[in-house]
Amino acid sequence: MTALRSIGRFLLPLAISLALLIGIWALFLRAFPQIGPRVGKTPSDIWRYLVTAPGAPAARQEILDDLAITLRDATTGFTVGMLGALGVAVVFVLYSAVRQTFMPVAMLLRSVPLVALCPIVVLVFGRGTAGVTVLTAIVVFFPALVIVMTGLREAPSQATEVVTVYGGSRWTALRLVAIPAALPSVFTAARISVPGALIGALLGEWLGSGTGLGASLVRAIPLFQYNRLWASIVVVTVVSVLLYAIVGVIEKLVLTGFAATE
């Protein structure tokens, strides 16, 4: 019951935010009538395009096919980026000399715009899935690294000292104390990184592979396919919120179960 209440408290603000977003969308089009109905599509226009129009099944299928490619790219990049961040965070926490040497380099690389890195990534890894995965992993890696490393370093010092007194190594203290204590930070990094992975995948598809929703969004503009453009943006936004919610629900279940076993 506690877990269900926690999940409800987490999901309710997301639902309210989604409703507010739809309202802001409609108000924005009303506030800027110069956009015009040909370019600016309302929520009802997109509902008609995806659900009630005669060609809605075909339109949905085209977007879902592109979405499947984008989700594949985002999932691969998210996995690579998160695992890389976890591994590097562990090394940085255990070995301060490594952290002091490479952390400034990581922050400098983080400050480079992804659009500027894209040509180099495409040149090295190609225009296929590998290039998109690298770009997506870069988006995920750096924020996750900082958040996870902060969580690992904030492990209870008294518990760490107990492990040390009983002859445990730094790895043992990390496994028994720091990693369990850092679980909230790991889930926070995952929640933040899920939307970032989608953005990275869209950017990689736009500038690199030429497939998925990232490429179809760009192709829709010169072809004046504004219904498809807006519908694709709506689908990506909804999927991003759903994935964020799924990670949040998993977080609540895991942390509630973990607390119950203590």
Side-chain angles (χ1 to χ4, degrees), residues 50-102:
L50 290 176
V51 179
T52 61
R60 282 199 310 270
Q61 192 59 50
E62 289 178 350
I63 292 177
L64 290 176
D65 289 342
D66 288 332
L67 177 64
I69 297 173
T70 300
L71 287 176
R72 180 203 65 194
D73 294 336
T75 301
T76 307
F78 173 82
T79 303
V80 173
M82 277 298 296
L83 290 178
L86 291 171
V88 173
V90 168
V91 173
F92 279 6
V93 169
L94 288 177
Y95 305 103
S96 59
V98 177
R99 181 180 70 250
Q100 293 168 3
T101 302
F102 291 101

Side-chain angles (χ1 to χ4, degrees), residues 93-96 163-164 168-175:
V93 169
L94 288 177
Y95 305 103
S96 59
V163 174
T164 303
S169 64
R170 288 185 297 178
W171 285 100
T172 304
L174 182 77
R175 179 172 58 85

